Amino acid sequence: MDTWTLIEQPCRFNRRRGTDALFTLGNGYLGCRGFFEEEQEDVEALGGIYVAGVFGRGALKAWKGMHRELVNTPNFFWVSLRVNGEALLCRPKRMAGYRRVLDMRRGVLDRRFTWTGSDGARVRVRFERFLSVDDLHLAGQRIEIEALDRDVEIELLVGIDARVTQLNRVTTSPRPIQPGRRHLRTLRAGPDEIETVVDTLPKGVRLAEAQRAVLETPAGPLRGADAATTDLAARRFCFRLAAAKTARLTRLAAFYTSRDGADPMARARRTLRRAGDYEGLRAAHERRWAETWRACDIELEGPDDDQRALRFNLFQLLQACPEHDSRVSLGARGLSGEMHEGSVFWDNEIFKLPFFTFTRPAATASMLRFRHRTLPEARRHARDLWFDGAMYAWKSGDDGVEETEMGVGAYYAIHIVADIAYALRQYWEATADDEFLFRYGVEILIETARFWKSRSHYDPLRRTWNILAVRGPNEYDVIVNNNLFTNMMAGENLRYAEEAVALMRRRSPAAWKRLAARLGFRETEPAAWRALAEGLVLCYDRGRDLFVEDDMYLHRVPFDMKRGKPDARRVIDGTLPYEAMALYQITKQSDVVTLMNLLPWKFTPRQMRRAYAFYEPRTAHDSSLSYSPHAVMAARLGMRAEAYRYFRDCAYLDLADIQLNTISGLHFANLGGAWQAAVMGFAGLWQGDGRLHLGPHLPAAWKAMRFRLCYRGGTLRVELRGGKTRVLLESPGPAPLRLCVAGRDVRLSKAGQEVTTPA
Ligand code: BGC
């Protein structure tokens, strides 16, 4: 059980809100930070509940959009508790036996402590809550209060609090949590219902919340009295609790928005009316989690801490995934905090989607549909900037509009375009889902290929094609020409487009005809894409057999990493300004190394080894997107100790607050990176040549690792133990599966068939 729980004990009073993000619960529709339920006098900004797709207008000036930000929505877990007239406040001398426990197996948060009032009366309090993954519109909460040694008078207010503000964006600094903007206007509040509107964007979203709260006391159940105020729906329960007796409050809350359809309040009421009791609801929720874990867990025979950390990363990824709604995707901090405003970046496709592609392909399909939905905006963006096809926003709001702040260089960060194409291709290879490819994918591939065609320029001196003025994953390069990552990924994008067109023409000719007519497809396009893909400059130093980040990298000044990064702070937060970075050979975050992980068939082992040796000491890891690619590459190269060290940096990044800003939300790309480090690194998974590759690279600390993969309609169970890899076909797909296990070609077609290498 222990490796399924995250435990905070004792209370870290001076870092009270600092660990809230770790204790986030979610169901893809809602995300709820692990804040304390009971009102506190010293905590200024309250709550932390976010709804996928509910945005308000932010404070900064975005390049194109309105600078949308995720809205902190009314807190339906709010309570206020008084014992003998005194507010129950979290203070060091008053609390004992504090424990906050996130049960990741069941998706339940539990917190308990014993509190002593100034008159010496003691009560034991326990809070439990969950956001149902069975019915996304329901949440449950239970509060137990036990009088320990004498009778006490209790006043308990149970409400939905719309006084909440944004948590921390008064300044752009992530700390401390302070009250920020308020996006909500209350339309009406009663004892059990509240309706608010987010009216800081022109088309405001309405939020409707309802609660059903019942208090069981030793003397019988209480319904409570109306205690609503302007921005608070609430019921008040006043009662006397005899010594050694327990009172128990149970609340169900229902939540809808106008995004879910007309009259969200009627929906909330109906859901609440039909909801069963707390136990039944929680049991259904737990059953869902059990199914999810069966498909997605990674089991280790190794240190318990690693097992727990790995589960933590997967748990948070799973519960933020908006699989139910392709109008939204997964933001850089999921629904666990406000940093990056809930926007979607390249790290969605490159760091998070691989996990979903191989464990919950429907989730990847939904997030790729989000990119299809936002294609019209990407087209507009390209046209406005004098390009063809579709230029996806670097930082995308739910409407696909470029939300990057003015003047921050989103114009250059165009590898996002090819990253989306790559994720699409990976999804198709892993699922063989032609229908999806033809319905949504081919259109994206054609429009992105067209973008690259217009964004590349022929260089008559070198007789090559250049992609000028870009910013690769290494954002410290500021603006470069021919970033290797961008050019190679663009080349792949062009190839995928050509192949997808040929495939659709063959397999679905009627649909292809319609699509070609709609897109004004010209028969000359595929050949032009191929010529461009073959002609793009790839920076490479032949003498050293070294692939080079861009065409100036080797000419820049060596960077003194010890001086520039003496502590955990980013270089640009500690020693030098952002502008200085262009002078130096410094890589903010893994760039060439990430590329080589994505396209391993394009490089020899020697080239990978050289690139790793060259870039690793030049990499500042000033982004959370840096550790996992290093873990993957080091594992694949057989540098197991180094791979393990990077795995731990990645898996514990939020748990140990390595980047010093977990307070502002969990790092979702890195959560996906933890899966990549384990499965793509230690288990060597990759695809790209029609086979699924696996190979054992376990670190010395791990005896064995087991996990499941969805592959082409089948399910594989993989076990690595020492130098052996065992793959079992649990359920077959429609066609035999082609694998390459530790260098050996294998075909699996019947359920129960398995292979172990070396035998
Ligand atoms: C990283 C980007 C990333 C963004 C959002 C930045 O710090 O450098 O690569 O997309 O955060 O996660």
Side-chain angles (χ1 to χ4, degrees):
M1 185 61 189
D2 196 37
T3 57
W4 287 99
T5 53
L6 184 69
I7 301 177
E8 180 182 64
Q9 185 179 29
C11 185
R12 290 192 269 173
F13 289 95
N14 51 355
R15 293 206 57 216
R16 270 279 311 284
R17 311 295 310 266
T19 46
D20 280 358
L22 297 178
F23 292 89
T24 297
L25 287 179
N27 58 17
Y29 181 89
L30 287 166
C32 174
R33 286 163 66 92
F35 56 79
F36 291 8
E37 288 87 343
E38 69 278 20
E39 191 168 50
Q40 299 290 323
E41 59 175 2
D42 57 335
V43 175
E44 291 174 358
L46 304 166
I49 299 183
Y50 306 96
V51 185
V54 174
F55 290 90
R57 189 198 291 259
L60 303 177
K61 186 149 175 37
W63 181 8
K64 279 196 148 177
M66 297 200 175
H67 193 252
R68 297 177 162 223
E69 65 181 14
L70 267 183
V71 172
N72 185 12
T73 63
N75 172 11
F76 48 71
F77 286 133
W78 180 89
V79 301
S80 161
L81 186 53
R82 288 179 163 267
V83 180
N84 290 337
E86 184 181 359
L88 186 140
L89 300 174
C90 165
R91 286 189 182 146
K93 292 215 172 99
R94 291 294 164 81
M95 289 169 84
Y98 170 94
R99 235 166 107 88
R100 178 159 55 162
V101 181
L102 179 66
D103 182 336
M104 300 182 281
R105 192 206 292 264
R106 297 159 59 230
V108 175
L109 182 64
D110 179 290
R111 186 167 54 93
R112 52 187 75 187
F113 54 87
T114 299
W115 187 83
T116 310
S118 53
D119 59 1
R122 291 187 312 145
V123 286
R124 191 179 290 145
V125 192
R126 177 175 166 242
F127 294 91
E128 176 184 279
R129 72 198 200 204
F130 66 93
L131 296 181
S132 174
V133 290
D134 187 55
D135 183 333
L136 307 185
H137 299 275
L138 277 172
Q141 181 186 40
R142 183 154 266 179
I143 304 168
E144 286 171 0
I145 308 165
E146 185 187 353
L148 282 185
D149 20 48
R150 55 171 109 144
D151 295 4
V152 285
E153 294 293 336
I154 303 282
E155 183 193 353
L156 175 63
L157 260 85
V158 179
I160 307 172
D161 181 10
R163 297 167 300 184
V164 293
T165 65
Q166 295 303 98
L167 292 190
N168 60 15
R169 298 301 294 227
V170 172
T171 65
T172 48
S173 139
R175 308 152 185 253
I177 294 242
Q178 314 157 332
R181 272 175 309 290
R182 183 153 187 269
H183 290 292
L184 301 170
R185 183 161 55 82
T186 303
L187 301 175
R188 58 191 192 83
D192 297 314
E193 294 181 356
I194 191 161
E195 200 159 3
T196 52
V197 62
V198 177
D199 60 5
T200 55
L201 279 179
K203 265 205 208 149
V205 179
R206 255 186 322 140
L207 313 175
E209 284 155 85
Q211 63 173 4
R212 188 171 84 204
V214 178
L215 184 79
E216 295 157 53
T217 69
L222 294 180
R223 279 285 296 138
D226 182 351
T229 59
T230 321
D231 293 312
L232 179 74
R235 272 192 184 275
R236 175 181 281 110
F237 300 89
C238 295
F239 57 100
R240 187 174 182 80
L241 191 60
K245 295 287 182 202
T246 301
R248 185 158 81 172
L249 181 109
T250 304
R251 148 157 68 175
L252 298 186
F255 192 114
Y256 281 82
T257 80
S258 50
R259 296 179 75 255
D260 303 314
D263 203 350
M265 187 49 91
R267 287 168 197 260
R269 280 189 202 127
R270 198 175 324 126
T271 296
L272 216 45
R273 232 181 6 253
R274 292 184 184 160
D277 63 359
Y278 182 89
E279 269 79 20
L281 206 65
R282 196 186 52 199
H285 162 76
E286 290 175 7
R287 273 196 301 278
R288 285 283 181 141
W289 264 115
E291 285 163 24
T292 300
W293 279 121
R294 187 173 186 281
C296 304
D297 191 23
I298 299 177
E299 288 172 282
L300 298 187
E301 285 176 31
D304 282 353
D305 281 353
D306 289 355
Q307 175 73 80
R308 185 183 303 106
L310 204 43
R311 286 197 170 126
F312 171 78
N313 284 271
L314 305 185
F315 175 71
Q316 292 295 358
L317 255 184
L318 284 165
Q319 57 165 1
C321 174
E323 189 177 331
H324 62 285
D325 187 355
S326 63
R327 292 173 300 167
V328 286
S329 189
L330 192 41
R333 299 297 178 107
L335 298 173
S336 69
E338 295 169 15
M339 195 161 173
H340 294 305
E341 291 81 30
S343 299
V344 187
F345 295 77
W346 74 297
D347 42 62
N348 197 55
E349 273 68 19
I350 297 299
F351 286 78
K352 303 171 214 164
L353 289 201
F355 164 69
F356 292 110
T357 298
F358 284 105
T359 58
R360 292 177 83 92
T364 293
S366 177
M367 287 188 265
L368 289 172
R369 279 199 62 198
F370 168 79
R371 296 300 194 179
H372 184 260
R373 278 179 186 280
T374 51
L375 200 46
E377 180 52 38
R379 283 195 184 102
R380 238 187 321 273
H381 195 35
R383 206 171 47 236
D384 289 352
L385 298 171
W386 308 358
F387 302 121
D388 299 335
M391 175 171 163
Y392 280 103
W394 170 245
K395 176 181 176 187
S396 173
D398 58 328
D399 53 359
V401 174
E402 179 56 85
E403 289 283 346
T404 310
E405 291 80 54
M406 266 318 245
V408 178
Y411 181 87
Y412 311 114
I414 51 174
H415 64 88
I416 171 86
V417 175
D419 302 333
I420 292 169
Y422 176 84
L424 184 60
R425 170 73 175 219
Q426 286 281 309
Y427 169 80
W428 175 72
E429 289 199 21
T431 57
D433 186 350
D434 282 0
E435 197 191 320
F436 185 90
L437 182 70
F438 299 159
R439 199 144 159 215
Y440 307 107
V442 177
E443 186 173 358
I444 294 180
L445 291 173
I446 290 176
E447 292 293 49
T448 48
R450 286 174 169 172
F451 170 73
W452 291 117
K453 183 76 183 66
S454 64
R455 186 61 170 78
S456 312
H457 295 93
Y458 188 68
D459 181 340
L461 299 178
R462 285 199 198 151
R463 299 183 184 204
T464 52
W465 286 86
N466 291 328
I467 305 182
L468 304 176
V470 301
R471 181 175 300 159
N474 172 12
E475 295 170 10
Y476 281 173
D477 270 343
V478 193
I479 307 166
V480 299
N481 296 325
N482 293 318
N483 167 250
L484 181 75
F485 185 102
T486 307
N487 287 23
M488 266 205 173
M489 292 292 279
E492 285 295 291
N493 189 158
L494 292 157
R495 181 166 74 82
Y496 300 156
E498 188 195 353
E499 290 177 7
V501 164
L503 192 79
M504 187 171 179
R505 200 194 286 271
R506 218 169 48 239
R507 292 197 185 156
S508 190
W512 164 248
K513 256 191 157 161
R514 285 195 299 275
L515 182 66
R518 182 157 65 80
L519 299 183
F521 176 80
R522 294 177 305 279
E523 289 302 333
T524 51
E525 286 187 274
W529 296 337
R530 190 178 332 127
L532 173 58
E534 285 164 7
L536 278 170
V537 169
L538 302 179
C539 297
Y540 169 67
D541 177 0
R542 193 171 301 279
R544 287 193 261 183
D545 196 12
L546 177 71
F547 277 92
V548 183
E549 230 184 71
D550 60 69
D551 63 7
M552 273 306 287
Y553 198 92
L554 296 180
H555 305 277
R556 293 202 191 95
V557 180
F559 186 75
D560 182 344
M561 196 65 83
K562 277 211 180 84
R563 183 174 177 197
K565 193 173 161 82
D567 52 35
R569 282 175 305 163
R570 300 188 303 177
V571 174
I572 54 168
D573 295 332
T575 52
L576 286 176
Y578 186 62
E579 291 83 342
M581 298 298 100
L583 186 61
Y584 295 104
Q585 264 181 27
I586 178 172
T587 297
K588 177 189 177 193
Q589 65 200 75
S590 157
D591 189 306
V592 174
V593 168
T594 297
L595 174 71
M596 291 180 156
N597 289 338
L598 298 177
L599 309 175
W601 61 89
K602 290 202 170 275
F603 305 95
T604 65
R606 178 175 123 125
Q607 287 165 346
M608 296 195 208
R609 205 172 288 282
R610 297 212 154 197
Y612 188 94
F614 181 79
Y615 293 106
E616 199 265 345
R618 290 168 173 78
T619 303
H621 304 301
D622 279 355
S623 153
S624 65
L625 280 64
S626 200
Y627 301 118
S628 68
H630 281 84
V632 170
M633 173 69 76
R636 287 178 180 177
L637 292 175
M639 298 149 65
R640 296 178 192 217
E642 178 133 348
Y644 184 56
R645 189 165 55 75
Y646 273 119
F647 163 79
R648 286 178 62 93
D649 284 340
C650 164
Y652 295 83
L653 184 120
D654 283 314
L655 293 169
D657 198 9
I658 291 176
Q659 299 264 321
L660 308 177
N661 59 13
T662 294
I663 191 170
S664 300
L666 305 172
H667 297 78
F668 270 69
N670 179 72
L671 302 176
W675 182 87
Q676 295 196 10
V679 174
M680 296 168 64
F682 299 144
L685 177 129
W686 64 271
Q687 59 169 356
D689 62 357
R691 297 175 299 172
L692 188 72
H693 293 254
L694 288 160
H697 310 287
L698 284 188
W702 295 5
K703 266 218 223 95
M705 169 166 91
R706 283 180 293 279
F707 56 89
R708 286 189 171 81
L709 294 173
C710 297
Y711 187 57
R712 302 199 169 184
T715 310
L716 297 166
R717 186 147 168 72
V718 182
E719 181 179 68
L720 294 114
R721 181 175 292 281
K724 288 199 182 211
T725 312
R726 180 170 156 252
V727 185
L728 165 76
L729 185 62
E730 260 186 0
S731 66
L737 301 182
R738 285 183 61 205
L739 270 64
C740 178
V741 184
R744 205 180 113 197
D745 276 317
V746 183
R747 256 171 196 267
L748 296 179
S749 52
K750 290 201 194 72
Q753 208 180 339
E754 68 171 79
V755 57
T756 302
T757 59

